[in-house]
Amino acid sequence: MQFYDIFNGDADGICALQQLRLEEPRASVLVTGVKRDILLLDRVYAAAGDELTVLDISLHTNAAELGRLLAQGARCRYFDHHVPGEIPRHPNLKTFIDTASDMCTSLIVDRYLSGRQRIWAVVAAFGDNLVKSASRLAEQLDLDPAAIERLRELGECLNYNAYGETVEDLHYHPADLFETMSHYRDPFDFIEGEPVFEVLRNACLDDLDRAGNLAPESGNDNGAVFILPDAAWSRRVNGIFGNHLAQAYPQRAHAVLVKKDGGYTVSVRAPVASPSGADALCLKFGSSGGRKAAAGINHLPERELARFIAAFQNQFDRDRHDDGAEAPARDE
């Protein structure tokens, strides 16, 4: 029998697996990549009796490959917070899926484990920009404000590390990052015992400083669009830059575009005050994924830029207008 752990390379995917393996230690084949690399099940060739744990990648996107693996006799547990599409019925498949706007995969795992590794769920929720959810959990752990701030920084740094076109853009391969982290039950021991945190923190601050010097390409009180150059630092920072903008301007939606191959990759953040509409917008432009609060487009052709900006403003101007208040009150 072979075990496979298949997980998104961001803070949520890594911390979800961290929780599970602290409670259920076992050697496994790690399958992961950059944040946008979500077609991970096509890398797995499991046999009958093999066990798969899938964390924080869309079931909808991986449905065909999941069907193949189940047909080969593999058993699978699937934890995720993205819209799954039609969930297959199969005796070898157990799904733990919750698409609520205040949930991430690590919070689903936290619930599955009855909170026994909750501190890592706090790290993940901060990394996934679920500040309210993270803060609520942190309060249950009786942590002081300085400790909570340290967990927030760690979550953001882990998430920052996942953004890039390829793993060569990253500071650490997500599999290596998990392997290093897996030796620590306490995230504070990890912070103090490894150089990883300081390396990522300093690099992130440098990249954010570069992004912060850019003016928006377009925008109003309801939404702003930023375009970053074709550079490794842009690919690394676009996610956390979007999150920082979302927290700084909670009534406003944000799109962060990075130039790439005659077009752009796109990250969209719906307003924190009304986390809805990001997925609906991105689905209009083909190769997309995500959830209502945060979604992306893998490739937006340059000729589509004007149409995207118009659709972006229309999406979030309409949401605000429909609500008739300062901020729309729609669910993620």
Side-chain angles (χ1 to χ4, degrees):
M1 179 191 297
Q2 180 67 65
F3 297 104
Y4 293 86
D5 288 328
I6 305 142
F7 59 102
N8 195 293
D10 68 357
D12 193 19
I14 290 175
C15 290
L17 182 57
Q18 175 78 343
Q19 292 176 80
L20 280 174
R21 291 295 156 254
L22 287 174
E23 285 294 304
E24 306 169 356
R26 67 188 188 193
S28 66
V29 176
L30 302 180
V31 182
T32 188
V34 300
K35 182 174 177 65
R36 288 181 182 270
D37 194 355
I38 58 173
L39 288 169
L40 296 178
L41 291 186
D42 62 356
R43 302 181 191 175
V44 178
Y45 298 92
D50 289 349
E51 292 192 7
L52 284 57
T53 300
V54 184
L55 300 149
D56 199 37
I57 61 172
S58 165
L59 191 155
H60 176 70
T61 303
N62 288 274
E65 294 301 319
L66 176 61
R68 170 183 63 84
L69 293 163
L70 292 172
Q72 290 171 346
R75 295 192 294 271
C76 179
R77 291 185 302 174
Y78 210 113
F79 298 84
D80 191 38
H81 66 128
H82 302 95
V83 176
E86 184 176 354
I87 300 175
R89 295 184 178 181
H90 195 283
N92 285 357
L93 175 65
K94 294 183 179 180
T95 58
F96 306 87
I97 295 175
D98 188 337
T99 62
S101 62
D102 59 350
M103 292 296 293
C104 62
T105 301
S106 284
L107 295 178
I108 297 170
V109 173
D110 173 73
R111 185 165 61 198
Y112 175 77
L113 296 175
S114 301
R116 291 191 294 275
Q117 300 295 335
R118 178 156 291 168
I119 196 166
W120 289 105
V122 173
V123 173
F126 275 126
D128 219 31
N129 205 36
L130 297 175
V131 175
K132 290 182 179 178
S133 296
S135 299
R136 283 196 300 267
L137 276 192
E139 288 174 3
Q140 297 175 25
L141 298 175
D142 196 28
L143 297 171
D144 63 54
I148 294 173
E149 176 63 15
R150 205 68 166 160
L151 296 179
R152 182 192 65 78
E153 288 185 309
L154 176 59
E156 290 189 352
C157 287
L158 294 176
N159 218 49
Y160 158 76
N161 183 72
Y163 281 86
E165 183 65 23
T166 66
V167 293
E168 286 71 31
D169 285 338
L170 312 184
H171 295 282
Y172 299 98
H173 192 294
D176 295 336
L177 187 52
F178 168 74
E179 290 274 20
T180 300
M181 204 167 76
S182 68
H183 299 290
Y184 296 88
R185 298 190 70 86
D186 188 326
F188 298 109
D189 291 340
F190 171 69
I191 289 170
E192 297 301 325
E194 299 287 342
V196 172
F197 174 73
E198 288 299 328
V199 169
L200 292 178
R201 182 176 180 273
N202 292 333
C204 182
L205 289 173
D206 286 344
D207 288 348
L208 280 172
D209 187 60
R210 295 182 189 182
N213 290 323
L214 299 175
E217 179 75 12
S218 70
N220 58 28
D221 289 343
N222 300 334
V225 177
F226 291 79
I227 298 180
L228 277 58
D230 183 358
W233 73 265
S234 299
R235 295 187 288 272
R236 287 194 301 264
V237 83
N238 74 90
I240 194 168
F241 181 50
N243 289 345
H244 276 218
L245 289 168
Q247 291 300 325
Y249 304 96
Q251 307 291 343
R252 194 171 76 178
H254 298 88
V256 179
L257 285 65
V258 179
K259 290 184 178 181
K260 170 197 169 186
D261 298 336
Y264 309 87
T265 59
V266 183
S267 293
V268 176
R269 300 290 183 269
V272 170
S274 176
S276 179
D279 57 344
L281 170 68
C282 291
L283 282 170
K284 298 174 183 176
F285 294 88
S287 57
S288 64
R291 49 199 171 87
K292 294 179 182 179
I297 302 168
N298 289 333
H299 182 72
L300 178 75
E302 193 167 1
R303 66 180 181 276
E304 293 280 88
L305 177 60
R307 185 170 81 90
F308 170 79
I309 291 175
F312 172 83
Q313 294 295 170
N314 180 65
Q315 176 74 48
F316 297 107
D317 285 349
R318 182 189 63 202
D319 285 354
R320 184 160 177 163
H321 176 74
D322 289 348
D323 184 67
E326 279 292 313
R330 292 171 58 187
D331 243 345
E332 180 187 335

